């Protein structure tokens, strides 16, 4: 089945979808994005992703390409056209193109470019990777200072994943000024003596939509949470650790820089939070 994608108001076969070579998303990484998961053919936390998209656009003085209602409609139509039961929807909005390359932003009447496509991922919820848990390495965080804006500047996170792969691990956590910021594409947590520790929100990390939901659910389950800076050494001595993201939900971490956490298998709190998150998210999906 050929994938149907969305480009600037049109639903097209992926082979026919095009964007200008002068698009600022392509030339300058002048673009923001969102990834929303689909379970049982329904959208997980669409509202959260739509609100964060608006915030990213506002922070960069970019126009909203359409209303939230229209955005929901596009997401739903792509799920339907591509028969997605479990998977992801990728959305990207760029500052568009005024037909040339210039560092200066184009005039305000330049139309943004809006692209959405689906990624079919059967078995996303019942993932073997989550049953095994992830091995991570730590790397330096050399990204720019506005990581709260979900831009498409993903070269360093991609390099981080490659460094992990080369080291025989699954992913990397990044460290700045001695403290863990976040994972290459997820928020980072460890658990010690029943307390969940994660970095507080600031411009240094992405304000994860899954993070917000998982922390709410953890509090409802009477779990203790500390939002504070933490070092990789603390995480290595933890009972367990995990990450959160729209693409992997709650992912247990079983090893950091070659050091096994606990008995080296996914920890009970990470497993429980994954179950609660999947359960509650399915119920609230739209
Ligand atoms: N990544 N931190 C970073 C750097 C991320 O790229 C992501 C998401 C998160 C988690 O945010 P959320 O819970 O809203 O997905 C944290 C997406 C999934 C990606 O780039 O594919």
């Amino acid at each position: 089945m050929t994938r149907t994608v969305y480009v600037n108001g049109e639903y097209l076969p992926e082979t026919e979808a095009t964007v200008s070579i002068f698009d600022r998303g392509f030339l300058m990484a002048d673009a923001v994005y969102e990834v929303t998961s689909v379970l049982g053919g329904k959208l997980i936390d669409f509202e959260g992703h739509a609100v964060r998209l608006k915030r990213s656009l506002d922070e960069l003085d970019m126009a909203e390409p359409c209303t939230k209602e229209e955005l929901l409609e596009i997401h739903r139509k792509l799920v339907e056209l591509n028969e997605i039961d479990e998977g992801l929807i990728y959305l990207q909005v760029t500052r568009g193109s005024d037909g040339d390359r210039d560092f200066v932003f184009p005039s305000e009447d330049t139309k943004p470019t809006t692209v959405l496509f689906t990624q079919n991922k059967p078995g996303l919820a019942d993932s073997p990777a989550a049953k095994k848990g992830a091995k991570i390495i730590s790397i330096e965080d050399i990204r720019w200072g506005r990581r709260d804006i979900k831009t498409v500047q993903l070269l360093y996170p991609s390099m981080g994943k490659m460094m992990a792969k080369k080291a025989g691990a699954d992913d990397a956590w990044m460290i700045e000024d001695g403290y863990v910021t976040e994972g290459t594409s997820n928020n980072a947590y460890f658990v010690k003596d029943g307390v969940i520790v994660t970095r507080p929100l600031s411009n240094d990390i992405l304000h994860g939509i899954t993070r917000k939901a998982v922390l709410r659910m953890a509090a409802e389950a009477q779990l203790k949470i500390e939002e504070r800076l933490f070092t990789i050494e603390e995480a290595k001595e933890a009972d367990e650790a995990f990450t959160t993201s729209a693409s992997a939900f709650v992912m247990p971490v079983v090893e950091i820089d070659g050091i096994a956490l606990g008995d080296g298998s996914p920890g009970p709190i990470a497993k429980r939070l994954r179950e609660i998150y999947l359960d509650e998210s399915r119920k609230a999906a739209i």
Side-chain angles (χ1 to χ4, degrees):
M1 186 170 133
T2 313
R3 178 159 50 174
T4 301
V5 304
Y6 175 94
V7 186
N8 297 327
E10 286 188 283
Y11 294 88
L12 298 166
E14 64 181 48
T15 45
E16 287 171 31
T18 56
V19 172
S20 165
I21 62 157
F22 299 113
D23 193 279
R24 289 183 62 90
F26 178 61
L27 294 180
M28 307 266 178
D30 189 355
V32 299
Y33 77 107
E34 283 295 330
V35 176
T36 304
S37 52
V38 177
L39 291 177
K42 289 184 172 175
L43 304 165
I44 304 302
D45 218 335
F46 172 80
E47 179 68 23
H49 290 283
V51 168
R52 187 173 62 190
L53 173 67
K54 171 148 177 31
R55 180 178 180 278
S56 293
L57 291 167
D58 285 350
E59 290 296 316
L60 296 175
D61 284 330
M62 281 168 67
E64 273 176 272
C66 60
T67 66
K68 192 163 73 180
E69 290 68 34
E70 286 164 338
L71 212 53
L72 176 59
E73 200 47 49
I74 300 166
H75 277 73
R76 282 181 162 158
K77 191 153 177 193
L78 284 180
V79 168
E80 189 190 315
L81 290 172
N82 294 291
E83 297 173 12
I84 306 294
D85 179 51
E86 290 195 357
L88 304 170
I89 303 183
Y90 177 85
L91 166 156
Q92 180 170 328
V93 182
T94 86
R95 204 183 300 274
S97 149
D98 63 358
D100 205 351
R101 178 176 182 267
D102 194 339
F103 281 84
V104 174
F105 288 178
S107 66
E108 281 189 1
D109 54 12
T110 304
K111 278 207 170 71
T113 300
T114 309
V115 169
L116 284 92
F117 58 81
T118 53
Q119 292 183 288
N120 192 24
K121 296 200 182 278
L124 186 66
D126 193 25
S127 128
K131 289 194 181 88
K132 230 172 85 199
K135 293 179 181 176
I136 60 141
I137 58 163
S138 57
I139 60 173
E140 195 190 342
D141 196 340
I142 60 165
R143 297 172 301 160
W144 81 323
R146 289 304 306 274
R147 302 156 194 158
D148 56 311
I149 307 173
K150 200 164 171 58
T151 74
V152 300
Q153 300 176 68
L154 297 176
L155 180 55
Y156 188 64
S158 284
M159 289 168 74
K161 296 244 192 227
M162 294 311 293
M163 288 182 235
K165 211 172 155 187
K166 224 172 158 183
D170 304 297
D171 204 354
W173 283 8
M174 295 176 279
I175 298 175
E176 185 174 57
D177 299 332
Y179 298 103
V180 174
T181 52
E182 59 189 332
T184 57
S185 63
N186 43 58
N187 291 115
Y189 313 72
F190 74 86
V191 184
K192 183 77 180 172
D193 299 329
V195 181
I196 300 168
V197 178
T198 194
R199 189 179 176 108
L201 296 182
S202 68
N203 291 351
D204 301 334
I205 61 169
L206 187 73
H207 301 191
I209 302 305
T210 321
R211 177 189 187 278
K212 188 175 178 188
V214 166
L215 289 183
R216 175 174 52 76
M217 291 167 196
E220 283 164 9
Q222 315 295 328
L223 295 167
K224 288 197 201 86
I225 300 155
E226 266 180 30
E227 291 184 65
R228 63 168 174 84
L229 298 183
F230 65 93
T231 65
I232 199 75
E233 281 70 34
E234 274 185 279
K236 284 179 198 170
E237 283 166 17
D239 301 323
E240 54 175 299
F242 60 92
T243 61
T244 61
S245 67
S247 52
F249 313 120
V250 178
M251 173 63 67
V253 167
V254 294
E255 195 181 292
I256 301 177
D257 289 334
I259 294 170
L261 305 185
D263 65 1
S265 63
I269 291 184
K271 283 201 288 195
R272 188 164 155 221
L273 284 174
R274 184 178 175 89
E275 256 170 52
I276 297 174
Y277 178 77
L278 286 171
D279 215 44
E280 300 269 314
S281 298
R282 279 184 202 281
K283 281 186 210 149
I286 61 169

